[in-house]
Amino acid sequence: MNPRRIVLSLVAGLASTLLLGACGSSNGTGTDHAAPAASDPAISTPVASPPSTSTSATAGTGSDGGTTTTAVTAKAMNGLGNVVTDNNGMTLYRFDKDEPSPSKWTCKGACTMTWIPVIVQDSVQTSGVEKSLLGTVHRSGLKQLTLAGWPLYRYIGDTAAGQVNGQGKDGAWYAIAPSGQKSATTG
């Protein structure tokens, strides 16, 4: 085959890939505010919790890019008071554009590359978080954890336990308090 044809074929393939990738991107703000599709029920259901309050479990990555957790814990964070963390000590966040009643997530597509949905399997252990406030909302066949109805996320910019780099991002993302309220800077 002619080398020129090979190069042209490669360029055409690359251009096609880039165009297809652009079709799935958002407006560049890192969030996609469209409501979930009708096939994604937005009903929150309680999460069964075993009596133990241990938090020594390992998180994994869900098939939708979400992060799987088995426990939530209330921890004091400097300047924010008590916030909720997952079983690895990573801060959990809520998004002001989501809805708590009924639970409804609006972060999807490119947004979930920065704000990773917290996925649960069956039960979630708690420490300092009222079990009755936990629930789930369906997300692409998985269960996203909710607290007081708010869908929960991890921020990709938090690279170590105890970080709260997502606090106040875009004026809409806040570490979540054990009550489900957004955490506010206290000093």
Side-chain angles (χ1 to χ4, degrees):
M1 185 172 210
N2 181 343
R4 186 173 180 188
R5 285 187 181 175
I6 293 173
V7 170
L8 288 176
S9 295
L10 289 173
V11 169
L14 181 59
S16 297
T17 302
L18 292 173
L19 287 174
L20 286 174
C23 290
S25 68
S26 69
N27 60 8
T29 63
T31 58
D32 184 342
H33 304 298
S39 65
D40 295 315
I43 298 172
S44 181
T45 55
V47 174
S49 297
S52 169
T53 58
S54 169
T55 60
S56 60
T58 306
T61 301
S63 63
D64 74 335
T67 182
T68 302
T69 193
T70 58
V72 291
T73 303
K75 289 191 177 177
M77 297 286 183
N78 192 18
L80 292 180
N82 282 333
V83 300
V84 178
T85 63
D86 68 7
N87 52 298
N88 289 325
M90 302 301 285
T91 303
L92 301 182
Y93 296 87
R94 58 173 259 188
F95 184 36
D96 280 351
K97 297 185 188 301
D98 285 348
E99 296 178 18
S101 182
S103 294
K104 181 178 170 184
W105 49 264
T106 58
C107 176
K108 63 181 187 172
C111 176
T112 63
M113 299 303 286
T114 302
W115 300 96
I116 305 161
V118 176
I119 305 300
V120 294
Q121 298 299 317
D122 294 315
S123 63
V124 177
Q125 298 173 346
T126 64
S127 177
V129 178
E130 183 60 43
K131 291 178 190 177
S132 66
L133 294 178
L134 295 178
T136 60
V137 64
H138 291 280
R139 181 179 199 99
S140 305
L142 300 173
K143 295 184 280 185
Q144 183 174 1
L145 184 63
T146 63
L147 177 58
W150 291 99
L152 300 179
Y153 303 86
R154 277 191 39 202
Y155 177 54
I156 193 130
D158 288 346
T159 57
Q163 293 181 339
V164 288
N165 297 320
Q167 178 68 7
K169 287 282 187 195
D170 300 325
W173 291 94
Y174 296 92
I176 193 162
S179 65
Q181 299 295 315
K182 57 185 170 184
S183 294
T185 305
T186 58

